[in-house]
Amino acid sequence: MHVGRLPLLFTAALLCSLALAEEPQHGTPAEDVLPVRSAAPAAPAVASDSLVAQLGQLQRQLAESERQRNELSTQLEAASGERENAQLSRLRQENQRLKLQLKEAQASQSPRLLTEQQTWFAVGGGVALLSLFAGLAARGGRRQRRQWIN
């Protein structure tokens, strides 16, 4: 396809989609439900009155439903708040119990003689002494004159 025709094709596709799109209708919901008839003027007035009455009833039901929803949401918040308070107090008690257990365990534990760093230092010293004695034992009882050969 030629490069110059691609934008033209894109523009045509956009215009076709706009031509098929519906225009929004601006009117009341009552006008959307009943089509306007010019042949019988009394019928729309009666239908309009029944629609107004039905609309009023639906608005009252909506207000009642909203009131009930608000009451239920406040009850739910109160119940969840009580539940959270109970859980919070239970967690606090458990925390206090665990702190007490920790203090008891620390009190019953005898103090360490050496820290971890001191322990490793002593182990290193022991290994050095062991290697010294092993070297002396491996040399044996023979005495040789030490000379460097150049």
Side-chain angles (χ1 to χ4, degrees):
M1 188 177 266
H2 193 267
V3 177
R5 292 184 187 168
L6 188 60
L8 181 63
L9 182 63
F10 182 67
T11 305
L14 283 176
L15 290 176
C16 289
S17 66
L18 288 175
L20 293 176
E22 293 183 13
E23 295 270 336
Q25 296 178 358
H26 301 288
T28 62
E31 292 174 353
D32 293 340
V33 173
L34 289 177
V36 178
R37 294 183 186 170
S38 61
V46 172
S48 168
D49 291 339
S50 67
L51 285 177
V52 169
Q54 187 179 9
L55 180 63
Q57 181 184 5
L58 289 175
Q59 287 176 345
R60 284 190 299 275
Q61 287 178 354
L62 176 65
E64 179 65 24
S65 296
E66 286 292 322
R67 186 187 60 77
Q68 289 176 353
R69 184 185 65 83
N70 289 336
E71 287 177 5
L72 289 175
S73 66
T74 55
Q75 289 175 1
L76 178 64
E77 288 175 3
S80 66
E82 291 172 1
R83 205 175 322 129
E84 288 175 2
N85 287 338
Q87 185 178 13
L88 182 62
S89 65
R90 188 178 73 245
L91 288 174
R92 283 183 179 159
Q93 288 175 355
E94 185 178 355
N95 193 14
Q96 289 175 353
R97 183 181 56 82
L98 290 173
K99 284 180 182 179
L100 182 62
Q101 284 180 355
L102 177 64
K103 286 181 182 179
E104 288 174 358
Q106 287 175 345
S108 66
Q109 185 181 24
S110 62
R112 294 186 60 166
L113 187 60
L114 298 175
T115 65
E116 186 176 350
Q117 186 179 10
Q118 291 171 338
T119 304
W120 282 110
F121 184 76
V123 168
V127 168
L129 286 175
L130 183 64
S131 62
L132 176 69
F133 292 137
L136 290 175
R139 187 174 92 169
R142 55 192 152 101
R143 288 260 185 203
Q144 290 181 358
R145 192 166 169 198
R146 296 182 187 171
Q147 292 182 354
W148 290 95
I149 299 175
N150 291 333

